[in-house]
Amino acid sequence: LLSCTGEQDGSVLLAMPFVDAENLAEHVAKRPGKTPSPSLQIVREIALLLAASHQAGLHHLALRPSQVLIRSSTETERGISVHLLGLGL
């Protein structure tokens, strides 16, 4: 989601698009007692995102439910898209 948009006075300009989504805390609160399958998919996505970010040298030191965004998506076979906020650069 993060992209380099250019350079100004020797500084790299970064941009992140707006993601219309609910955070993990909101997502769980809306679905009390639901089956674990969607939750396991979300946890798997979070683990994959963290692994990819660590390989790229980006680390999240204090991941909280409010920093995990979940949105419905027709672009994935799971029907959801997961995004992480607050990665250190």
Side-chain angles (χ1 to χ4, degrees):
L1 285 176
L2 193 64
S3 61
C4 178
T5 61
E7 200 172 313
Q8 181 177 350
D9 300 324
S11 297
V12 176
L13 304 175
L14 301 173
M16 179 186 273
F18 172 75
V19 178
D20 188 14
E22 62 187 0
N23 68 46
L24 182 58
E26 296 165 336
H27 183 80
V28 170
K30 287 182 180 179
R31 295 159 181 80
K34 295 288 183 180
T35 60
S37 180
S39 299
L40 292 175
Q41 292 173 354
I42 292 168
V43 170
R44 181 178 183 277
E45 285 291 317
I46 293 169
L48 291 171
L49 289 167
L50 286 172
S53 68
H54 287 184
Q55 285 181 332
L58 300 173
H59 301 281
H60 204 299
L61 302 178
L63 186 61
R64 296 181 298 278
S66 62
Q67 295 173 318
V68 177
L69 298 182
I70 301 166
R71 68 179 178 95
S72 297
S73 174
T74 57
E75 300 165 7
T76 67
E77 62 185 53
R78 294 167 310 284
I80 61 166
S81 174
V82 177
H83 307 271
L84 298 181
L85 303 178
L87 288 166
L89 298 176

